[in-house]
Amino acid sequence: MALELVGGAVLGTVVGELFKAVSNLGERAISFNPVLKDIRSKLNAIFPLVKQIDELNDYLDYPKEETEKLRDLMDEGRRLLLQCGDVKLGDLNYLKKPFYTKRLRELDTALRSFMDILMLQMARDQKKNMKMMNQMMEIICRLDNRGGSSKPMDLFVPPCLVPQLREETVGLEKPVKELKVKLFKNGVQMLVVTAPGGCGKTTLALKFCHDKEVKDIFQEKIFFVAVSRKPDLKLILKDIIESLRGIQLPDLQSDERAFCYLEMWLKQTSVNRPVLIVLDDVWNGRESEVLLDNLFQLPCCKVLVTSRFYFPRFSESHYLEPLNRENAIQLFRRAASLDKGISKLPDDETVEKIIGGCKRLPLALKVIGRSLSRKPTSVWKVTGRNLARSGSIFDSDNELLECLQSSLDVLDDNMVTKQSFMDLGSFHEDQRIPASTFIDMCTVLYKLDESEAMVILDELSSRSLVNYVTTRKYGYDDDFYEEYSFTQHDILRDLAIHLMNMEPIEQRKRLILDINENDLPKWWVDQEKHPSYANLISITTDERFSASWPDMEAPEVEVLILNLQSRTYNLPGFIKRMNKLKVLVITYFGSFLTEVTSEDNQLLDCLTSLERIRFERFSVSIFSNPNPKPLINLQKISFFMCKFGQTFMDVSTPISDLLPNLLEISVDFCNNLSSVPNRLCEIVSLQKLSITNCHGLSSLPEDVGKLINLKNLRLRSCIHLEEFPESTTKLRELVLLDISNCLGLAKLPEKIGELHNLEKLDMRHCSSLRKLPLSIGNLKKVKFLCDREVGEWLKKVAPRLAKQVKVQEEEANLEWLGF
């Protein structure tokens, strides 16, 4: 088995002993400092890898002989270091310095080779385990004789999938042909497409990827990467390697090693077929230059880059011209719904002014066009007149911002919609925004309910101010919005921030801080306590952030959004004084999980006004203080891709006293959740419990029936959940039960017919559910959503239920995983 003990030591211990030996030498081996520095660097890189293997020792098959080789190498290294410690200037042993230096160099080389082998070994083990899991899923599908697909389930989704084109394009056929001619030319490895923001560079790149000739050449070896203005090189390269190999990798320890691994994989992958890498939205800067410089030298690889900037060092370039007049009019007509006869076409002069004012740029044409749809002619004329004043030559993003700003003027009739658009600037660039988070913000800032907030989001989408991304093909599902998210073009985000920055800091309703490394805003550093009367504060930091937080007074803030990229993060102390804070959203944008701490572990104790909390991608412990204060106003907690520790177990106070008014808990894609703590059933106020896509969940608490006010219970896609406790039938207020895609669920409670208020039971794709309880016929109000065979069985067993059965097949939409 993996990581067999060798002399009582696992990998991490063995490596740690050599690292300790290097550290203990100190000044005794000062004459060997250069080579010791290299060895220490290698050990720093190896230690996280072996630590991860130690943590995954039930899954990785690291052979005993390799472990013994490692131990021998570490023992030899320790003996060598002890000998080096005796080499002193003026001593006879000093004559042996060249000999020991050579030996240390050999140790350094051996460590580097071991690190390479270690990465390959881990990649092989993960590949083997993924293959085994796919084979298991294939067997499960074959055993399912209820009409299920025999195709095995994909357990790993490559992070660099090419997104689908969401709408028909206009005027890109010629540019695609020109790109093919330039990029397919012999000797050309990289082609940079340049144009200002909003010209359609990303759409052109997608159109290129979906072109038949391009797909025939590269087939499945096309990878699409959104880079943005603050690229994380290790994460980008890791995503490309994972997409190439179809396996997950541990964190890569340096940019240099990441490029080496990518080159190695490319040499293996591109033997029979070349690889196409598309880097979208590359900004000017050192990281971008390093990324392009290294990719430019890779073998058997074509690279297509889209950017607002020129990179003359890197081979060919292609300037994307604005649409010609005919195509611009066609796109504008489509956006304004003129082709469908919904809007009446105004005079040609007005249309020409609008087209000219939009600079014939696709983004501006779509946004302005949709903002004018169904509007009276007078609004068209005013818009045309205002756009004409800005001139006809596009030479900066500021002009585009001014152009797009006119699309917000028509939102003045609905100030909440306009203010909501401005709020979206608080989210991280080029990342999906959960619809549920948007709802949380609108609930607090504008006193809207969920349906009203979604109407606002639909309005923004209809005007091309946001783009929907969903994991389901159908519309909103019973007010469940966790599977819906959206993205926003970075130019539109810039528009929101541009408008916000026009106001003095003290008067801003929103304070958006993008912190690059430790470069804090000057106004914040210069003043010890800078007052902000904003209702919404957003703080974004990158992976290099390690600064101490300056103080801040924010007495009016109601929504705080923290966008993180560092593996460990210390929360600002000034959050404790945000006495009116009602919504807290903390999101980590790395591959793995981050750990969030506060100075005294009593942060939540001070935020007694909190109503909604959302945590995304980090290790969670709600109550780290054994005697916390009650969060008397908390109504909703959401977890996405989190890891749970002892969330409730270490707290002596009854959970019902700590969370007396909690109405909703949402847990999504939290795979280490194997069971729900029984103490959660003390929260009798709970009305909605959603545990979805938690593949480790195998059971529900026996006391789940104590949740007497529960109305919605969703357990969608918990594939290892096997059965319900019988106490489930005590949930007499239950209106909705969703067990769709629970592949391992074998039976329902015998007395499920006692849930007389149940209105909807979704049991699609429950392939192990061979028999339904007879009492299910007592559910007179329920609407059944099920697969075809289950529906036919229900109609035969209980004919009177025929009108209540709806057969609905559904396929998941995996496009959102690209984000």
Side-chain angles (χ1 to χ4, degrees):
M1 188 62 186
L3 297 178
E4 289 195 39
L5 300 182
V6 181
V10 290
L11 291 178
T13 305
V14 173
V15 175
E17 289 174 357
L18 181 60
F19 190 88
K20 184 178 179 181
V22 174
S23 301
N24 287 342
L25 278 179
E27 295 183 358
R28 288 189 297 139
I30 193 168
S31 57
F32 298 103
N33 266 355
V35 66
L36 288 177
K37 183 179 179 182
D38 290 342
I39 291 174
R40 189 180 290 110
S41 174
K42 298 292 187 307
L43 292 172
N44 273 327
I46 290 174
F47 190 74
L49 297 178
V50 297
K51 183 180 178 184
Q52 186 170 9
I53 292 180
D54 284 345
E55 292 171 353
L56 298 174
N57 59 357
D58 289 330
Y59 306 102
L60 297 178
D61 187 17
Y62 199 79
K64 182 177 180 180
E65 57 270 19
E66 292 296 334
T67 312
E68 291 172 343
K69 288 180 183 178
L70 172 63
R71 184 192 178 189
D72 292 343
L73 178 63
M74 299 298 121
D75 287 343
E76 181 183 347
R78 285 200 305 273
R79 288 193 296 269
L80 176 60
L81 290 170
L82 288 174
Q83 293 169 347
C84 292
D86 296 331
V87 176
K88 299 176 183 177
L89 186 64
D91 198 305
L92 286 175
N93 284 334
Y94 193 75
L95 298 175
K96 297 182 179 180
K97 181 189 173 185
F99 170 75
Y100 287 123
T101 300
K102 180 182 177 183
R103 292 277 308 279
L104 287 172
R105 287 293 179 198
E106 291 171 351
L107 175 63
D108 180 60
T109 301
L111 288 172
R112 183 170 64 247
S113 299
F114 171 73
M115 185 165 62
D116 292 339
I117 294 171
L118 191 62
M119 288 292 293
L120 288 170
Q121 182 72 37
M122 292 181 69
R124 187 211 67 179
D125 287 338
Q126 289 202 11
K127 185 87 171 179
K128 185 192 300 181
N129 283 296
M130 292 300 296
K131 181 179 179 181
M132 181 182 68
M133 293 177 72
N134 271 319
Q135 290 172 343
M136 291 173 60
M137 291 306 302
E138 186 173 8
I139 293 171
I140 291 172
C141 291
R142 287 174 180 172
L143 290 174
D144 179 15
N145 60 4
R146 311 194 69 165
S149 170
S150 62
K151 182 180 179 182
M153 179 182 297
D154 287 327
L155 300 178
F156 174 74
V157 179
C160 298
L161 288 174
V162 179
Q164 295 296 318
L165 280 166
R166 296 190 181 92
E167 56 189 24
E168 187 180 348
T169 60
V170 174
L172 293 182
E173 291 76 12
K174 182 180 176 182
V176 167
K177 289 180 181 178
E178 293 172 344
L179 292 189
K180 288 191 289 187
V181 170
K182 290 183 177 181
L183 190 58
F184 294 167
K185 191 188 305 180
N186 287 335
V188 175
Q189 282 187 266
M190 182 177 292
L191 176 62
V192 181
V193 178
T194 61
C199 278
K201 300 183 296 296
T202 299
T203 305
L204 174 61
L206 291 176
K207 181 91 171 169
F208 181 84
C209 291
H210 289 287
D211 179 82
K212 185 179 184 305
E213 184 181 358
V214 174
K215 293 171 78 171
D216 287 343
I217 293 174
F218 298 99
Q219 294 191 8
E220 76 282 0
K221 304 279 178 58
I222 303 177
F223 306 110
F224 193 95
V225 184
V227 179
S228 76
R229 72 183 70 192
K230 295 179 182 178
D232 182 337
L233 297 190
K234 292 193 293 291
L235 181 59
I236 289 172
L237 297 169
K238 178 174 178 288
D239 286 347
I240 295 174
I241 297 171
E242 289 182 345
S243 299
L244 276 168
R245 305 303 296 170
I247 56 174
Q248 281 188 294
L249 297 174
D251 277 348
L252 302 177
Q253 298 304 312
S254 70
D255 296 345
E256 293 77 14
R257 301 307 296 174
F259 281 115
C260 288
Y261 291 131
L262 177 57
E263 183 175 6
M264 177 179 64
W265 292 127
L266 277 173
K267 286 179 179 177
Q268 293 184 17
T269 304
S270 57
V271 173
N272 300 319
R273 193 169 299 281
V275 172
L276 173 62
I277 298 175
V278 180
L279 302 176
D280 184 48
D281 195 21
V282 177
W283 284 65
N284 198 13
R286 187 187 66 82
E287 290 87 354
S288 297
E289 295 274 347
V290 172
L291 177 63
L292 297 185
D293 192 36
N294 280 273
L295 290 181
F296 185 66
Q297 303 174 39
L298 292 177
C300 303
C301 180
K302 297 281 188 178
V303 182
L304 180 65
V305 179
T306 71
S307 178
R308 304 179 194 188
F309 305 91
Y310 283 102
F311 295 95
R313 289 173 49 209
F314 304 109
S315 190
E316 296 282 331
S317 64
H318 177 88
Y319 183 80
L320 179 59
E321 298 284 351
L323 297 174
N324 61 35
R325 180 179 175 278
E326 292 74 19
N327 287 327
I329 292 176
Q330 182 184 347
L331 181 60
F332 177 72
R333 287 178 62 90
R334 183 183 299 167
S337 302
L338 294 174
D339 292 338
K340 298 178 182 178
I342 296 175
S343 299
K344 184 180 178 181
L345 184 65
D347 59 273
D348 292 341
E349 182 183 357
T350 298
V351 173
E352 290 291 345
K353 286 182 178 179
I354 295 173
I355 299 294
C358 289
K359 326 297 182 186
R360 292 182 279 121
L361 298 176
L363 178 63
L365 290 167
K366 287 193 289 186
V367 172
I368 300 297
R370 293 190 181 182
S371 71
L372 293 175
S373 180
R374 302 174 186 269
K375 296 296 180 183
T377 303
S378 58
V379 175
W380 285 67
K381 289 186 175 181
V382 171
T383 302
R385 195 161 53 240
N386 290 339
L387 289 175
R389 291 171 183 164
S390 63
S392 59
I393 300 176
F394 182 89
D395 57 7
S396 71
D397 282 345
N398 287 334
E399 288 191 27
L400 178 58
L401 292 175
E402 292 172 7
C403 170
L404 295 179
Q405 186 174 347
S406 65
S407 66
L408 298 183
D409 294 339
V410 299
L411 297 178
D412 285 342
D413 294 338
N414 188 344
M415 287 302 295
V416 174
T417 304
K418 184 173 183 179
Q419 295 302 316
S420 299
F421 169 80
M422 300 283 287
D423 295 337
L424 298 183
S426 58
F427 293 97
H428 198 285
E429 180 187 18
D430 291 327
Q431 298 291 340
R432 63 171 188 86
I433 303 170
S436 57
T437 304
F438 178 81
I439 291 171
D440 291 341
M441 294 168 57
C442 290
T443 300
V444 166
L445 295 175
Y446 309 115
K447 314 305 178 188
L448 304 179
D449 62 27
E450 291 185 349
S451 299
E452 291 170 332
M454 289 305 295
V455 169
I456 297 295
L457 196 53
D458 286 338
E459 174 73 6
L460 294 173
S461 176
S462 70
R463 299 180 183 279
S464 292
L465 297 174
V466 299
N467 296 312
Y468 270 122
V469 180
T470 176
T471 61
R472 302 176 79 81
K473 284 190 172 182
Y474 299 103
Y476 306 138
D477 189 2
D478 302 298
D479 300 328
F480 182 61
Y481 305 111
E482 290 298 326
E483 294 178 327
Y484 294 86
S485 58
F486 57 96
T487 60
Q488 186 179 46
H489 196 288
D490 51 3
I491 281 290
L492 295 172
R493 180 178 184 268
D494 288 346
L495 171 61
I497 296 175
H498 169 76
L499 296 176
M500 178 201 71
N501 288 338
M502 293 174 66
E503 299 177 335
I505 293 173
E506 295 82 0
Q507 298 177 19
R508 294 177 188 173
K509 295 181 180 179
R510 303 163 194 82
L511 188 59
I512 300 176
L513 304 173
D514 282 345
I515 301 174
N516 190 11
E517 199 167 351
N518 294 316
D519 187 16
L520 298 167
K522 190 173 184 300
W523 61 263
W524 195 6
V525 176
D526 288 349
Q527 302 192 38
E528 234 177 76
K529 288 187 179 180
H530 197 291
S532 170
Y533 297 99
N535 301 116
L536 185 156
I537 292 181
S538 167
I539 303 176
T540 300
T541 58
D542 64 14
E543 63 172 356
R544 297 166 294 179
F545 177 77
S546 60
S548 300
W549 291 103
D551 207 351
M552 179 190 292
E553 291 292 336
E556 301 299 321
V557 67
E558 295 180 287
V559 177
L560 176 63
I561 298 175
L562 301 176
N563 303 311
L564 322 178
Q565 287 182 279
S566 51
R567 288 293 298 272
T568 57
Y569 188 88
N570 193 34
L571 291 171
F574 55 75
I575 295 179
K576 293 184 196 176
R577 300 195 301 275
M578 295 180 173
N579 297 323
K580 294 184 179 181
L581 187 64
K582 296 178 181 179
V583 176
L584 175 62
V585 180
I586 307 179
T587 304
Y588 174 62
F589 291 99
S591 300
F592 292 85
L593 302 177
T594 188
E595 295 182 6
V596 177
T597 59
S598 58
E599 291 180 358
D600 53 9
N601 292 325
Q602 297 181 359
L603 179 66
L604 290 182
D605 289 359
C606 306
L607 303 176
T608 54
S609 296
L610 272 177
E611 296 179 6
R612 294 167 180 254
I613 302 175
R614 179 179 176 87
F615 297 131
E616 188 163 335
R617 292 191 184 92
F618 68 92
S619 299
V620 174
S621 179
I622 301 299
F623 299 110
S624 51
N625 180 5
N627 296 299
K629 294 180 181 178
L631 297 176
I632 57 175
N633 293 299
L634 192 63
Q635 299 174 23
K636 178 182 176 183
I637 308 178
S638 301
F639 306 97
F640 181 81
M641 291 187 176
C642 289
K643 179 180 179 181
F644 294 95
Q646 296 293 320
T647 308
F648 300 122
M649 303 304 293
D650 296 336
V651 181
S652 57
T653 310
I655 302 301
S656 56
D657 293 343
L658 293 175
L659 304 169
N661 296 302
L662 188 65
L663 301 177
E664 182 175 356
I665 296 177
S666 175
V667 184
D668 196 22
F669 282 99
C670 299
N671 286 335
N672 91 306
L673 182 69
S674 58
S675 61
V676 179
N678 206 50
R679 293 195 65 184
L680 181 140
C681 301
E682 300 173 14
I683 311 175
V684 294
S685 59
L686 203 63
Q687 294 183 7
K688 294 182 180 181
L689 176 60
S690 300
I691 305 176
T692 55
N693 301 294
C694 295
H695 298 163
L697 182 68
S698 59
S699 63
L700 293 177
E702 288 295 328
D703 292 336
V704 69
K706 292 182 179 180
L707 299 174
I708 55 175
N709 292 301
L710 195 67
K711 294 184 178 180
N712 290 3
L713 177 59
R714 298 181 189 276
L715 301 164
R716 178 182 296 167
S717 299
C718 294
I719 61 176
H720 289 118
L721 181 66
E722 296 179 353
E723 61 180 354
F724 282 86
E726 284 299 324
S727 68
T728 308
T729 58
K730 296 179 181 180
L731 302 175
R732 302 301 168 81
E733 296 299 316
L734 199 65
V735 174
L736 181 145
L737 177 59
D738 184 353
I739 54 173
S740 59
N741 294 299
C742 289
L743 304 180
L745 188 63
K747 64 177 183 177
L748 296 177
E750 289 297 326
K751 298 181 181 180
I752 193 173
E754 296 181 2
L755 300 176
H756 298 301
N757 288 314
L758 194 64
E759 296 179 4
K760 181 177 178 180
L761 174 56
D762 189 345
M763 48 184 177
R764 288 167 291 174
H765 308 303
C766 294
S767 55
S768 298
L769 199 58
R770 302 296 182 186
K771 184 180 178 182
L772 297 177
L774 293 177
S775 67
I776 204 166
N778 299 330
L779 300 174
K780 299 179 180 179
K781 298 191 295 183
V782 73
K783 180 176 76 173
F784 297 95
L785 277 181
C786 55
D787 299 333
R788 188 172 305 281
E789 284 198 32
V790 175
E792 291 175 356
W793 182 88
L794 279 170
K795 292 174 184 178
K796 288 180 181 179
V797 174
R800 65 180 185 81
L801 296 178
K803 293 183 179 180
Q804 298 170 232
V805 176
K806 183 178 180 182
V807 175
Q808 182 173 304
E809 303 294 337
E810 178 177 356
E811 295 178 6
N813 176 6
L814 297 180
E815 184 180 338
W816 70 280
L817 290 169
F819 294 92

